[in-house]
Amino acid sequence: MALSWLDNVRGGFPQLTDDCIELQGSFEKKYWHELTVSLLTVVNKPEWDDAKLLMELYNDFVTHFELKMNLFTLGQLVQFIASKQTTATAVGLLQKVSELVQSKKHDEAYHFLKCEEAIHRLNEGSVENRRAAKEIIEASVKYLERRNASSLHLDLRANIYRAEAAVYKVEEKHDAFYRRCLLFVAHKKTEELPIAEQQNIARDLGKAALLGKTIHNFGELIHHPILLTLNDSEDAWLAKLLRAYNTGDIAAYEEVTASHTDKMRAVFGESNAPFLRRKLQLMALLQHLFLTPVNNRTLPFKVIHEKCKTDSIDDVEPLLLRALALDLIRGHIDQVDQVIEVTWIAARSLGKEEINELVGHMKTWCKQVQGTLNEAEGTLLRYETEA
């Protein structure tokens, strides 16, 4: 019986007595909502952080009234309990409860639990589990696509994006991982996650941002609170590196690499060093163009060579061709005069400093427009006077 289990817990864990009394009171009065809220509170307490105890909580207590609960909230409770278990135990629990909610035709709770099962399978790492995880996630993504996403529970959307990101991480698809993981943190209150998990997410996002072949806008990550979790960790260098890339600051990049060469090699691999250097040069080019007034974006190769620190001036044209191919800029290269006329640069997420810079550009432009208007009015006045 549920109450006898609570009695046993009180006997074995005196520090949990108050929690057990609270749970017992709600259970006896059949206050299912209050009982659900209490359960979600107590399982997050350090005193309950025991895998065996949490499994007993579900098997010997929650099963007596789980169909009285909000089924999605049941899924959230089971997600937390599963997170403390071994892969085999977690998968078994998640399968059992997902079948239960499916029998009650609660699709949101079902896909929420199945995505959690997929994540545990991916973490186990076997080929069979990876295959099963991908099938689960594909089914949940199709469910999301068929429905109006905004009408679905926020935690369901977050878990689907999290599961997709987990697949892409395993497959080392950096661009896809980065975009899906950003969707996850956009839908999840990351401050509710354990600090270690927040740091892992920030670390994985940072690595993917730099290794992604099509990612040249780090603003969304740079300005997300999750990146701040690295500041007081051994990976603070990675946050500094991302900020250097975001502004194309080659001097800051060289300062980080000089101090953390071994860590960079361990995270990114020796073979990716040339790619990371080329990417930094692209970011330096974009930053210089952003700071250059629109009416002055005809740049000599010599200037680009100096700003982007290419090995030689002969490396400028390949750099510009890469930027054009990636649609980071648009314009025309004059190979004879060795200049490029840039007519457009890709949009970016801006920080406060960059917004202030943009405001400065706008003020300059307004002054130029006002000057042109004044000249036009003066010319018109002279014509009228002469007439």
Side-chain angles (χ1 to χ4, degrees), residues 49-303:
D49 190 13
D50 179 275
K52 183 174 181 292
L53 179 64
L54 289 172
M55 275 302 295
E56 289 179 359
L57 173 68
Y58 175 77
N59 289 326
D60 299 333
F61 185 64
V62 175
T63 53
H64 292 279
F65 58 89
E66 57 189 339
L67 292 180
K68 305 287 186 182
M69 298 173 63
N70 175 294
L71 293 182
F72 196 90
T73 308
L74 171 64
Q76 292 172 309
L77 176 66
V78 170
Q79 176 197 41
F80 183 85
I81 294 173
S83 71
K84 305 295 183 179
Q85 311 302 319
T86 63
T87 298
T89 302
V91 168
L93 173 63
L94 292 162
Q95 284 180 324
K96 175 184 176 181
V97 182
S98 63
E99 289 171 3
L100 174 68
V101 298
Q102 186 183 37
S103 70
K104 297 300 178 181
K105 303 188 184 305
H106 200 301
D107 291 340
E108 290 188 55
Y110 171 75
H111 285 286
F112 178 82
L113 288 163
K114 293 303 288 183
C115 282
E116 194 66 24
E117 176 191 333
I119 292 168
H120 281 275
R121 287 182 178 275
L122 285 169
N123 290 338
E124 188 274 335
S126 69
V127 174
E128 182 181 348
N129 269 326
R130 286 187 185 181
R131 186 184 301 114
K134 289 188 69 172
E135 290 175 359
I136 290 170
I137 294 167
E138 286 170 4
S140 293
V141 169
K142 288 178 181 177
Y143 171 75
L144 179 64
E145 291 172 347
R146 289 196 306 268
R147 300 288 300 272
N148 177 10
S150 62
S151 68
L152 298 177
H153 197 291
L154 191 65
D155 279 357
L156 169 60
R157 284 179 275 161
N159 228 29
I160 291 175
Y161 296 137
R162 175 170 164 249
E164 280 190 282
V167 171
Y168 294 135
K169 178 182 175 181
V170 169
E171 296 176 344
E172 296 188 343
K173 295 181 178 179
H174 305 296
D175 301 70
F177 168 82
Y178 181 77
R179 295 187 174 94
R180 277 297 176 265
C181 198
L182 275 183
L183 281 173
F184 165 62
V185 299
H187 286 77
K188 182 72 176 177
K189 294 180 180 178
T190 51
E191 64 273 14
E192 296 177 355
L193 298 173
I195 187 64
E197 187 173 350
Q198 292 183 53
Q199 291 173 337
N200 286 336
I201 292 170
R203 190 182 304 112
D204 290 340
L205 276 169
K207 177 181 177 180
L210 295 177
L211 291 179
K213 294 180 179 179
T214 62
I215 299 167
H216 300 90
N217 185 354
F218 309 128
E220 195 171 350
L221 173 58
I222 292 292
H223 303 125
H224 196 286
I226 201 166
L227 191 64
L228 297 176
T229 63
L230 295 182
N231 287 348
D232 297 322
S233 74
E234 62 181 15
D235 294 307
W237 65 271
L238 180 56
K240 293 179 182 177
L241 189 65
L242 283 165
R243 295 185 182 100
Y245 267 83
N246 190 53
T247 56
D249 190 337
I250 294 177
Y253 164 84
E254 290 175 344
E255 182 181 340
V256 173
T257 55
S259 304
H260 303 282
T261 303
D262 292 339
K263 290 181 179 179
M264 284 192 63
R265 189 180 293 115
V267 172
F268 300 111
E270 189 73 35
S271 61
N272 285 314
F275 169 79
L276 290 172
R277 181 71 183 183
R278 291 194 299 270
K279 187 165 188 172
L280 178 65
Q281 291 169 340
L282 282 173
M283 298 306 299
L285 173 65
L286 294 178
Q287 182 70 6
H288 179 64
L289 287 170
F290 175 76
L291 297 175
T292 303
V294 175
N295 60 356
N296 194 30
R297 286 182 177 166
T298 299
L299 303 177
F301 282 16
K302 182 180 179 181
V303 171

Side-chain angles (χ1 to χ4, degrees), residues 1-37:
M1 289 292 292
L3 296 180
S4 61
W5 179 77
L6 289 175
D7 289 336
N8 291 336
V9 171
R10 283 200 294 268
F13 302 90
Q15 70 274 23
L16 304 182
T17 297
D18 290 343
D19 292 334
C20 290
I21 291 173
E22 182 180 346
L23 294 174
Q24 181 176 339
S26 296
F27 180 82
E28 290 177 332
K29 294 174 183 176
K30 299 183 180 179
Y31 290 171
W32 307 124
H33 174 71
E34 288 78 0
L35 181 55
T36 300
V37 172

